[in-house]
């Protein structure tokens, strides 16, 4: 990364237009075939813009924050994708939104980038739509307080964000590995990313019913079989624990996704809820200590 160092800074639209064009027209107009007249709009002069530059000062990425409290025109040159440039620009835009005191921001994500924004705490809402010939999904992130999760799509995004934020440990309390959530490809990919990218990381999964996932060959068990040093499964056995109605995911930083009723997806999520995340983390620990290891999973090689 030293050889490919970059930084992100604000840029004035009027004086920086040529540099903004160098990135946006390369990505949107040339690569994605967006008509140039649709790429530039009347909002541009009113927006707060950021630009990413390489160590020589060459522009490599751009993004903007509109007066409508929307993030947009996120673009990174092809050679720099996957290097954290988008993450850094998004962090800068979110910081500016917080400085403005905005309660939330939204964006229209290209569907191909939906997982990227989910990892940053954005939750999808509404139906997908087409814009400039590209399919999009509206997404929102609350900046102060928890985000309401209403459906499976929001649940997947919340799980993805909490998992991506985890430093060394992720804790999941589930009834039976939540069909529709923990078997979703995006959720499984988020767990795989953490498991393979975090040295010494651990994913602890506490179940109320260990038999059903084994009987149905839940996809998460297959992933855990390949990464046995990361995944640990236990099943609650005390009557009071079996009667626990909720389900949640929490990490060792400040993120959580909590569902009051464990058989439903609606609930709340927050990446900045350190107090609540710590409470759930410790509550999980108490459940964990009085639960039993799922020794029957060892027959699967877990």
């Amino acid at each position: 990364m030293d050889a490919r160092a970059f930084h992100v800074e604000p840029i004035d639209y009027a004086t920086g237009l040529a540099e903004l064009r160098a990135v946006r027209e390369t990505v949107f107009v040339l690569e994605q075939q967006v008509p140039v007249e649709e790429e530039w709009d009347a909002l541009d002069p009113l927006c707060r813009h950021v630009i990413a530059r390489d160590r020589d000062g060459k522009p490599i990425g751009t993004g903007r924050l509109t007066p409508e409290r929307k993030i947009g025109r996120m673009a990174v040159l092809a050679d720099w994708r996957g290097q954290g440039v988008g993450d850094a620009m998004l962090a800068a835009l979110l910081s500016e939104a917080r400085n403005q005191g905005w309660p939330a921001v939204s964006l229209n994500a290209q569907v191909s980038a939906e997982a990227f924004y989910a990892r940053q705490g954005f939750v999808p809402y509404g139906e997908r739509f087409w814009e400039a010939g590209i399919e999009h999904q509206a997404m929102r992130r609350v900046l102060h307080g928890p985000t309401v999760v209403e459906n499976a799509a929001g649940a997947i995004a919340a799980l993805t964000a909490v998992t991506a934020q985890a430093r060394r440990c992720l804790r999941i309390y589930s009834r039976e590995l939540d069909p529709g959530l923990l078997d979703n490809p995006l959720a499984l990919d988020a767990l795989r990313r953490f498991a393979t990218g975090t040295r010494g990381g651990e994913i602890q999964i506490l179940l109320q019913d260990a038999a059903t996932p084994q009987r149905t060959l839940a996809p998460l068990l297959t992933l855990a079989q390949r990464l046995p040093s990361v995944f640990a499964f236990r099943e609650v056995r005390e009557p009071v624990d079996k009667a626990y109605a909720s389900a949640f995911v929490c990490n060792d930083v400040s993120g959580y996704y909590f569902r009051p009723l464990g058989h439903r997806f609606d609930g709340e999520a927050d990446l900045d809820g350190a107090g609540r995340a710590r409470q759930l983390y410790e509550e999980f620990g108490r459940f964990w200590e009085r639960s039993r290891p799922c020794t029957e999973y060892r027959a699967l090689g877990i």
Side-chain angles (χ1 to χ4, degrees):
M1 288 298 294
D2 288 344
R4 297 177 64 83
F6 66 89
H7 67 278
V8 176
E9 62 187 23
I11 185 171
D12 179 72
Y13 174 77
T15 59
L17 181 56
E19 292 183 302
L20 294 175
R21 280 188 185 278
V23 176
R24 285 170 51 175
E25 293 191 2
T26 297
V27 173
F28 295 125
V29 179
L30 297 180
E31 288 186 26
Q32 299 184 359
Q33 301 298 302
V34 174
V36 67
E37 60 271 16
E38 294 185 26
E39 168 56 23
W40 302 94
D41 60 26
L43 284 176
D44 267 317
L46 308 176
C47 293
R48 292 177 171 84
H49 297 263
V50 297
I51 191 164
R53 302 181 185 277
D54 66 14
R55 63 191 311 153
D56 296 321
K58 178 183 175 182
I60 59 173
T62 68
R64 75 179 192 181
L65 195 61
T66 78
E68 301 165 331
R69 302 181 181 182
K70 296 184 71 172
I71 289 172
R73 300 305 196 269
M74 290 280 289
V76 178
L77 296 182
D79 287 347
W80 282 87
R81 291 169 197 162
Q83 304 293 326
V85 178
D87 302 79
M89 292 194 304
L90 189 57
L93 292 169
L94 290 174
S95 178
E96 176 61 23
R98 289 190 182 95
N99 290 340
Q100 296 298 315
W102 295 354
V105 292
S106 62
L107 55 81
N108 294 334
Q110 294 185 13
V111 168
S112 61
E114 186 175 347
F116 165 76
Y117 290 110
R119 290 194 293 271
Q120 309 297 326
F122 284 82
V123 173
Y125 66 93
E127 301 295 327
R128 289 182 175 181
F129 61 94
W130 291 84
E131 184 176 81
I134 301 171
E135 192 174 18
H136 285 72
Q137 172 65 58
M139 305 184 78
R140 179 188 300 113
R141 174 165 175 176
V142 174
L143 300 178
H144 305 283
T147 297
V148 174
V149 176
E150 299 178 333
N151 51 34
I156 293 163
L159 172 70
T160 297
V162 174
T163 301
Q165 187 194 43
R167 183 176 296 119
R168 297 292 296 276
C169 186
L170 184 73
R171 291 179 163 180
I172 301 173
Y173 188 104
S174 170
R175 288 172 172 256
E176 51 186 42
L177 290 188
D178 297 305
L181 175 58
L182 291 174
D183 58 0
N184 179 273
L186 292 177
L188 289 170
D189 184 62
L191 294 171
R192 180 192 58 78
R193 282 171 176 263
F194 173 80
T196 58
T198 305
R199 187 171 183 177
E202 184 176 21
I203 299 175
Q204 299 176 333
I205 302 176
L206 190 56
L207 302 167
Q208 288 190 343
D209 172 12
T212 296
Q214 184 179 15
R215 185 174 61 252
T216 59
L217 300 177
L220 183 53
L221 297 186
T222 302
L223 176 63
Q225 185 175 11
R226 297 200 300 268
L227 299 162
S229 64
V230 177
F231 286 87
F233 293 86
R234 288 194 175 192
E235 183 182 42
V236 299
R237 58 184 178 180
E238 299 293 334
V240 64
D241 295 341
K242 287 184 175 293
Y244 185 74
S246 304
F248 58 87
V249 180
C250 60
N251 62 34
D252 54 352
V253 182
S254 59
Y256 72 90
Y257 163 39
F258 179 80
R259 295 178 284 150
L261 297 177
H263 65 285
R264 298 170 59 97
F265 292 131
D266 51 298
E268 66 176 35
D270 195 348
L271 294 182
D272 301 307
R276 179 59 167 151
R278 187 180 309 111
Q279 180 187 43
L280 291 171
Y281 196 86
E282 293 173 354
E283 185 174 29
F284 182 100
R286 292 190 290 271
F287 287 143
W288 187 262
E289 288 302 317
R290 56 182 184 251
S291 62
R292 70 165 188 89
C294 294
T295 55
E296 65 272 31
Y297 285 176
R298 293 175 186 168
L300 301 175
I302 296 175

